[in-house]
């Protein structure tokens, strides 16, 4: 193992890791927004919205994220969407993970016992009040852990933007493998950095989950 | 620029061939990941500690890093140590190993759940530990996790697009080839997406049928 | 029956799921302060009837009135929602499985609706919660979470939660069926206390002894119809109908097991 080389190049990987972190955070935020809207649509009383939500989930989950990214980044300009690679990465990955989060959020909401809704409605609370004060707080607790799983997948998924030349961890590793012919060393550096990011995120999710379950 | 799908039919045969390769890679990697997953699970649980611990480290590394990175490692790493595999084989191995680790996680949990009781019962009948594992514990455990393994296989299909990056001419790379000649990225990526979607639906249908059969066998 | 105008008035209630008719033209009048028990085998429609009173299970035919208000009147969706939310504030309901909100303390469970719907201040709502909890003997558990309470305690809190809305009538849907036998009495005592305060109550129950000692009137339902109704002494001691007799005999036998 060429430790000397590793010590020489690792600062570039750390810089790239920050891009991966930035991508992960922005993608998570966009994913949560898409997931909430998607879940709202899928649980809507309007049939049209339910179909739209179901179609979103089905098409996004039924096709590769890489292809979605390519359609957006390379195909976007043809339909008037000009994005730089980083923007396309965030939007593409965010909309993608949003479909998975839709199912997570929806699952948590429908897991809440029907009796909870009945009790609140019996007291005279409206649908919206019942949702906000009774269903959502309980569903939030249920969804923390599975959303953590989504986010874990998302962090690893950010590697895909290497294919549209965003200089993040995987792209950096690929470039250095090409120039140094030391695939194992480069894999080790970037792999460790990924695992640190994932580990820290996992701890944060576990902490949130514990706090939510304090009862 | 606008959209123009009229060029698509000229390249449908290319795309179609790419789709066949995608199916081939998916099936190959799925088989590897299934049997590899069983093998890994048994190692992770029952191998001597000197094998088990490094192996767990390997699993941990594979679960904590992106598939794309692993594909680069395998493809270029093998070349470096003098093994020049065709891209297709490297792709199948990369995808297969990656998902074998995920399947192994599932199977390990299931084995631990089945082991209690079933192992004892088998041993009381006079089976050796290895026989009990092979004939009693593992088959039950695997059957219990067929549905989640099925979900992994669906994920595998979609992740197979990544092997385009190491030069396997599957569906995604075929679309790229067509785009290289026509400069029509939107049209061809959408067509590729539709192909993936259809294959995906087919796979889901097959998996549902298998699940139903397993349920009925209970 | 008195000439007094009925407080709760169910007229020709009819309910079906597709071809299955679960309520067949049922009428029931309940006076102010009256306590009515509904008994009958499972699937007889008694819970459905109770849940129709606050429109939790909407009727497919017939009317439900509370004083001068029709509960299930036909209105455009938005207006109807507003109307029913208002009416439900006057109809307290207690469920078999308590349905306390697990993410809120006992205090939170009780103050949620009064604060949100009646605009009570935090202080007022707290005072109200303390008052109601004192009534059901749960004041010392005001800051507990539901998961820290026994079934009987949960049900007493659920009753306090309903009472905090100052309802005109209370509906009990098998309030003690999910409880361990030794916890039934504490809930029965609370219900008896309400009876002594002349709360109007409609009680779906399996507890014949309780129904006999507390209620003014008993309805026996079977297969979507009221088979027989009258004072508890008659229904339980001298029922006319064979179906009632059968039911009571079976019920006694199964309770002895």
């Amino acid at each position: 193992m060429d430790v000397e080389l590793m010590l020489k190049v690792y600062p570039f990987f750390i810089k790239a890791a920050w891009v991966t972190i930035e991508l992960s955070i922005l993608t998570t935020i966009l994913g949560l927004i898409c997931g909430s809207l998607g879940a709202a649509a899928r649980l809507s009383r309007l049939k049209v919205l339910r179909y739209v939500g179901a179609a979103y989930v089905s098409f996004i989950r039924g096709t590769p994220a890489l292809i979605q990214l390519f359609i957006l980044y390379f195909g976007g300009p043809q339909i008037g969407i000009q994005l730089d690679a980083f923007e396309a990465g965030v939007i593409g990955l965010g909309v993608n993970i949003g479909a998975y989060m839709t199912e997570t959020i929806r699952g948590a909401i429908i897991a809440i016992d029907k009796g909870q809704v009945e009790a609140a409605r019996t007291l005279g609370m409206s649908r919206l009040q019942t949702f906000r004060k009774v269903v959502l707080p309980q569903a939030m607790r249920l969804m923390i852990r599975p959303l953590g799983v989504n986010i874990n997948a998302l962090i690893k998924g950010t590697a895909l933007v290497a294919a549209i030349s965003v200089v993040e961890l995987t792209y950096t590793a690929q470039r250095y493998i090409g120039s140094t012919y030391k695939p194992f060393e480069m894999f080790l550096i970037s792999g460790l950095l990924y695992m640190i990011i994932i580990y820290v995120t996992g701890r944060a999710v576990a902490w949130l989950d514990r706090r939510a379950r304090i009862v | 620029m606008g959209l123009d799908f009229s060029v698509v039919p000229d390249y449908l045969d290319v795309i179609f061939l790419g789709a066949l390769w995608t199916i081939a890679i998916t099936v190959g990697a799925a088989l590897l990941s299934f049997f590899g997953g069983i093998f890994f699970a048994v190692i992770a649980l029952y191998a001597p500690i000197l094998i088990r611990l490094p192996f767990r480290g390997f699993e941990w590394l594979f679960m904590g890093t992106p598939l794309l990175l692993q594909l680069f490692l395998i493809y270029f790493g093998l070349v470096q140590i003098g093994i020049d595999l065709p891209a297709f084989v490297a792709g199948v191995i990369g995808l297969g190993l990656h998902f074998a680790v995920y399947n192994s996680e599932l199977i390990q949990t299931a084995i631990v759940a089945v082991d209690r009781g079933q192992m004892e019962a088998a041993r009381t009948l006079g089976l050796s530990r290895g026989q009990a594992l092979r004939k009693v514990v593992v088959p039950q455990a695997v059957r219990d996790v067929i549905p989640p393994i099925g979900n992994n296989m669906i994920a595998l299909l979609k992740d197979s697009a990544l092997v385009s990056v190491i030069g396997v001419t599957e569906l995604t790379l075929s679309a790229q080839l067509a785009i290289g000649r026509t400069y029509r990225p939107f049209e061809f990526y959408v067509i590729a997406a539709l192909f993936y979607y259809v294959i995906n639906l087919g796979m889901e249908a097959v998996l549902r049928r298998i699940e139903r059969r397993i349920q009925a066998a209970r | 029956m008195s000439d007094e105008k009925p407080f709760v008035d169910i007229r020709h209630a009819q309910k079906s799921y597709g071809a299955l008719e679960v309520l067949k033209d049922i009428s029931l009048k309940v006076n102010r302060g009256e306590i009515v028990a509904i008994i009958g085998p499972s699937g007889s429609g008694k819970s459905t009837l109770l849940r129709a009173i606050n429109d939790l299970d909407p009727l497919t035919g017939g009317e439900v009135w509370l004083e001068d208000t029709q509960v299930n009147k036909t209105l455009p969706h938005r207006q109807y929602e507003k109307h029913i939310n208002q009416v439900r504030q006057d109809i307290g309901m207690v469920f078999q499985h308590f349905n306390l909100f697990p993410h809120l303390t006992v205090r939170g469970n009780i103050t949620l609706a009064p604060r949100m719907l009646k605009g009570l201040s935090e202080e007022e709502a707290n005072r109200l919660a303390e008052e109601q909890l004192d009534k059901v003997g749960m004041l010392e558990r005001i800051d507990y979470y539901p998961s820290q309470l026994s079934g009987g305690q949960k049900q007493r809190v659920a009753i306090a939660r309903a009472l905090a809305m100052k309802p005109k009538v209370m509906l009990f849907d098998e309030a003690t069926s999910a409880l361990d036998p030794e916890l039934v009495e504490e809930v029965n005592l609370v219900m008896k206390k309400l009876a002594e305060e002349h709360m109007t109550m409609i009680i779906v129950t399996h507890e014949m002894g309780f129904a006999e000692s507390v209620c003014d009137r008993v309805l026996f339902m079977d297969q979507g119809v009221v088979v027989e109704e009258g004072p508890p002494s008659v229904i339980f001691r001298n029922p006319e109908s064979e179906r009632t007799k059968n039911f009571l005999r079976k019920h006694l036998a199964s309770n002895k097991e």
Side-chain angles (χ1 to χ4, degrees), chain A residues 37-142:
Chain A
L37 292 176
R42 289 215 58 181
L43 296 168
S44 166
R45 291 178 350 100
L46 294 176
K47 216 176 195 172
V48 189
L49 282 181
R50 284 207 300 276
Y51 280 130
V52 170
Y56 165 55
V57 170
S58 174
F59 282 117
I60 294 288
R61 299 208 313 176
T63 56
L66 188 65
I67 292 279
Q68 293 159 20
L69 209 54
F70 285 167
I71 293 177
L72 183 63
Y73 183 62
F74 296 116
Q78 286 175 264
I79 51 168
I81 303 173
Q82 291 274 2
L83 297 168
D84 69 34
F86 186 86
E87 292 165 351
V90 169
I91 294 174
L93 294 176
V95 170
N96 177 270
I97 204 70
Y100 292 86
M101 287 178 166
T102 294
E103 289 306 90
T104 304
I105 294 170
R106 172 174 162 271
I109 290 171
I110 59 179
I112 303 303
D113 182 31
K114 203 167 106 274
Q116 291 289 311
V117 176
E118 287 186 351
R121 298 284 280 151
T122 303
L123 290 166
M125 289 162 68
S126 71
R127 266 171 209 283
L128 192 64
Q129 288 169 329
T130 301
F131 181 73
R132 271 189 23 230
K133 296 287 181 179
V134 175
V135 176
L136 193 59
Q138 295 183 54
M140 293 273 247
R141 296 175 182 196
L142 286 185

Side-chain angles (χ1 to χ4, degrees), chain A residues 58-59 61-64 66-67 70-71 74-79 100 152 156 159-160 162-163 170 173-174 177 181-184 187-188 190-191 194-195 198, chain B residues 1-3 60-61 63-66 68-70 72-73 76-77 80 102 158 161-162 164-165 172 176 183-187 189-190 192-194 196-197 200:
Chain A
S58 174
F59 282 117
R61 299 208 313 176
T63 56
L66 188 65
I67 292 279
F70 285 167
I71 293 177
F74 296 116
Q78 286 175 264
I79 51 168
Y100 292 86
N152 179 306
K156 287 176 266 179
L160 294 191
T170 297
Q174 183 193 6
I177 289 172
Y181 298 104
K182 299 279 187 199
F184 185 71
F187 173 74
L188 212 59
S190 44
Y194 272 114
M195 287 205 287
I198 283 172
Chain B
M1 271 234 257
L3 300 181
W60 189 60
L61 198 69
M63 292 195 71
T65 54
L68 190 57
L69 194 62
Q70 293 163 19
F72 287 143
L73 173 73
F76 295 105
Q80 201 199 7
Y102 281 87
K158 288 171 284 167
L162 295 190
S164 64
V165 176
T172 302
Q176 276 165 350
Y183 302 103
R184 291 265 159 217
F186 190 93
E187 290 84 341
Y189 283 134
V190 166
L194 283 177
Y196 277 113
Y197 190 69
N200 184 66

Side-chain angles (χ1 to χ4, degrees), chain B residues 35-96:
Chain B
F35 293 107
I38 296 171
F39 180 65
F40 286 175
V42 172
I43 289 184
L45 289 174
Y46 298 104
I49 192 150
L50 276 178
I51 298 175
R52 201 161 71 212
L53 278 186
F55 184 77
R56 290 247 171 106
F58 155 80
E59 278 201 322
W60 189 60
L61 198 69
F62 261 64
M63 292 195 71
T65 54
L67 170 62
L68 190 57
L69 194 62
Q70 293 163 19
L71 287 175
F72 287 143
L73 173 73
I74 286 167
Y75 188 60
F76 295 105
L78 287 175
V79 172
Q80 201 199 7
I81 55 174
I83 305 170
D84 197 0
L85 285 176
F88 174 82
V89 179
V92 167
I93 292 175
L95 272 175

Side-chain angles (χ1 to χ4, degrees), chain B residues 170-183:
Chain B
E170 41 63 84
L171 188 44
T172 302
L173 193 52
S174 302
Q176 276 165 350
L177 293 178
I179 291 162
R181 298 206 198 111
T182 59
Y183 302 103

Side-chain angles (χ1 to χ4, degrees), chain B residues 16-176:
Chain B
F16 197 76
L17 197 64
L20 288 180
W21 277 110
T22 284
I23 293 170
I25 288 173
T26 303
V27 170
L31 288 173
L32 179 61
S33 78
F34 182 74
F35 293 107
I38 296 171
F39 180 65
F40 286 175
V42 172
I43 289 184
L45 289 174
Y46 298 104
I49 192 150
L50 276 178
I51 298 175
R52 201 161 71 212
L53 278 186
F55 184 77
R56 290 247 171 106
F58 155 80
E59 278 201 322
W60 189 60
L61 198 69
F62 261 64
M63 292 195 71
T65 54
L67 170 62
L68 190 57
L69 194 62
Q70 293 163 19
L71 287 175
F72 287 143
L73 173 73
I74 286 167
Y75 188 60
F76 295 105
L78 287 175
V79 172
Q80 201 199 7
I81 55 174
I83 305 170
D84 197 0
L85 285 176
F88 174 82
V89 179
V92 167
I93 292 175
L95 272 175
L97 283 183
H98 180 82
F99 280 95
V101 170
Y102 281 87
N103 287 344
S104 160
E105 279 296 297
L106 295 170
I107 296 168
Q108 281 177 46
T109 317
I111 286 181
V112 171
V114 171
D115 193 328
R116 272 182 226 122
Q118 290 292 313
M119 176 64 97
E120 274 178 22
R123 295 299 294 273
T124 342
L125 292 172
L127 271 70
S128 76
R129 207 172 138 81
Q131 286 171 324
L133 265 182
R134 257 200 327 275
K135 298 285 176 197
V136 179
V137 177
V138 172
Q140 286 185 65
V142 170
R143 198 191 53 189
D144 287 347
V145 288
I146 290 287
I149 285 182
N151 290 340
N152 279 351
M153 300 300 97
I154 301 256
L156 190 154
L157 163 68
K158 288 171 284 167
D159 278 346
S160 74
L162 295 190
V163 300
S164 64
V165 176
I166 59 169
V168 182
T169 322
E170 41 63 84
L171 188 44
T172 302
L173 193 52
S174 302
Q176 276 165 350

